């Protein structure tokens, strides 16, 4: 359950050394959007051909040059959304990847069990009987319980960000 955006290299890069297996890498329920240039969403480098245990499930890749890149190994991919079409999301242009009521990504996910059954807003996945794909489970008529805050540093120095009365 991560939102990874506006990056210039890899959103997630996992690599192993020669002779070492990858173990159990699980990349579940993330949103990757707006890669810069030729960036990759998820890049897996397994330097031995026997690498196994890579699972890439129910991620959303929006406006990504190269969503998935694997070197060696045998990854398992399921229910990933790879699109440049903003339909199905509340407002992809402002990074709101919550699902609309008529989203094609609703109720097509796979039950991954705990701890993946809680979305980025703290909602329980599958409460309506089926899991959705992506970092957010659709919620009918409810405002989100968390908010996205983008902070960018300009120049030098340090500071603190605080907020009250968010509604």
């Amino acid at each position: 359950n991560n939102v990874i955006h506006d990056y210039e290299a890899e959103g997630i890069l996992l690599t192993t050394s020669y002779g070492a297996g990858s173990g159990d890498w699980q990349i579940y329920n993330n949103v990757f959007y707006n890669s810069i240039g030729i960036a990759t969403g998820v890049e897996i480098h397994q330097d031995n051909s026997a690498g196994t245990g890579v699972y890439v499930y129910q991620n959303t890749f929006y406006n990504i040059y190269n969503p998935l890149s694997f070197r060696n190994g045998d990854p398992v991919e399921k229910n990933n959304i790879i699109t440049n079409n903003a339909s199905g999301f509340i407002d992809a242009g402002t990074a709101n990847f919550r699902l609309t009521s008529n989203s094609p990504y609703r109720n097509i996910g796979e039950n991954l069990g705990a701890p993946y059954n809680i979305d980025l807003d703290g909602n329980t996945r599958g409460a309506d009987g089926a899991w959705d794909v992506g970092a957010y489970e659709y919620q009918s008529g409810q405002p989100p319980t968390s908010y996205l805050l983008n902070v960018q540093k300009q120049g030098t120095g340090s500071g603190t960000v605080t907020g009250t009365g968010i509604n």
Side-chain angles (χ1 to χ4, degrees):
N1 285 343
N2 299 289
V3 177
I4 302 166
H5 62 92
D6 300 311
Y7 54 90
E8 296 182 22
E10 298 86 10
I12 294 178
L13 171 64
L14 301 173
T15 186
T16 62
S17 300
Y18 287 97
S22 66
D24 190 22
W25 291 341
Q26 300 171 341
I27 303 169
Y28 295 162
N29 303 319
N30 300 286
V31 174
F32 300 83
Y33 74 96
N34 290 347
S35 65
I36 298 169
I38 59 170
T40 302
V42 174
E43 188 160 347
I44 309 292
H45 291 196
Q46 293 178 297
D47 293 329
N48 59 330
S49 60
T52 59
V54 178
Y55 304 93
V56 184
Y57 288 4
Q58 300 185 180
N59 297 284
T60 301
F61 298 92
Y62 175 76
N63 197 24
I64 304 296
Y65 175 79
N66 184 18
L68 299 167
S69 175
F70 303 110
R71 182 191 315 156
N72 295 330
D74 189 19
V76 178
E77 301 174 56
K78 273 190 171 176
N79 296 338
N80 292 297
I81 302 165
I82 299 173
T83 186
N84 289 330
N85 185 342
S87 66
F89 304 113
I90 290 180
D91 189 354
T94 62
N96 187 342
F97 288 94
R98 290 172 185 85
L99 304 178
T100 61
S101 62
N102 62 347
S103 175
Y105 312 123
R106 288 190 56 211
N107 300 328
I108 63 168
E110 181 173 328
N111 183 337
L112 301 174
Y116 307 105
N117 62 328
I118 304 298
D119 75 1
L120 276 178
D121 284 334
N123 299 307
T124 301
R125 295 181 184 281
D128 63 352
W131 282 42
D132 300 333
V133 175
Y136 299 98
E137 182 77 7
Y138 173 75
Q139 298 296 307
S140 175
Q142 295 179 4
T145 57
S146 66
Y147 299 86
L148 177 65
L149 172 65
N150 284 322
V151 178
Q152 296 179 342
K153 181 179 176 184
Q154 292 183 343
T156 60
S158 63
T160 302
V161 177
T162 59
T164 60
I166 298 174
N167 50 17

